[in-house]
Amino acid sequence: MTTLSPLLNALADLAATEPRPEAQATARALRAAADTAFPKQPPSVLSQGILHAAALAGAHPATRLIQEAHTFLPWQDSPAASLQPTSLRAIKSIVTLLGPGAPIPSGSRLFGLFYQAPGSYYPLHAHNAAETYTILSGTAHWQAGDRRFTLSPGEVSYHPPNLPHAMRAGPEGFLATWRWSGDIGFDSYVMLPDPDSIQG
């Protein structure tokens, strides 16, 4: 067991830059739980890609702390995995740090880390929760509603409830934080018709 105080505080600082009350509450919860003990975890099948993405030039400083904490971070399938195509399990992995059943318990918020493999496509989907992604390393080509744009380290995409969104990872994959608030149940998660997924 070990504490991940430097990482949790760095992620709290990052969450606090988002000008929404839910993000500020998430930052406070991460700081308050900075001494939480994390057990050692088995490696993820995507560990090599995760560590490569964390070491990319131009990455957010928090990625160095992710590298150092890697063996204590519970990388796994998304809680929504049962609602997604099985093929998505091979291209992405998440860590849930804050939320129901997470190392830092919360019944009203979710927060963690997200990795998506190089060049892979996460098809159009939506859910009741409001969501924010902040890119830590790599690049991602994003769709949020009718908007399409590319995100680099430090850049953010906010999705109001039920906004359709999708993302394609750049050539070296990407690491991000993700935050949910509002209705954080996964029963509202739905995959949507997406012509781009045929090409992806």
Side-chain angles (χ1 to χ4, degrees), residues 2 7-8 21 35-36 63 85 92 111 115 123-124 134 163 171 184 193:
T2 190
L7 175 59
L8 294 178
D35 290 332
T36 298
T63 58
K92 64 182 181 62
F111 180 87
Y115 168 75
L124 206 61
T134 302
L163 180 74
I184 63 169

Side-chain angles (χ1 to χ4, degrees), residues 10-20 23-24 26-27 30 111 177 179:
L11 295 176
D13 290 345
L14 186 60
T17 64
E18 184 186 348
R20 293 182 175 86
Q24 303 303 313
T26 296
L30 291 170
F111 180 87
T177 64
R179 184 188 64 75

Side-chain angles (χ1 to χ4, degrees), residues 101-168:
I104 305 170
S106 173
S108 59
R109 288 178 292 278
L110 283 161
F111 180 87
L113 303 171
F114 179 91
Y115 168 75
Q116 190 169 320
S120 63
Y121 185 62
Y122 188 164
L124 206 61
H125 60 285
H127 39 70
N128 288 349
E131 177 180 57
T132 299
Y133 277 93
T134 302
I135 303 300
L136 298 176
S137 70
T139 56
H141 307 293
W142 221 268
Q143 178 178 349
D146 294 331
R147 297 176 56 233
R148 293 175 182 262
F149 47 94
T150 298
L151 294 175
S152 298
E155 296 182 319
V156 173
S157 183
Y158 171 71
H159 312 141
N162 298 306
L163 180 74
H165 53 283
M167 49 272 211
R168 187 180 299 279

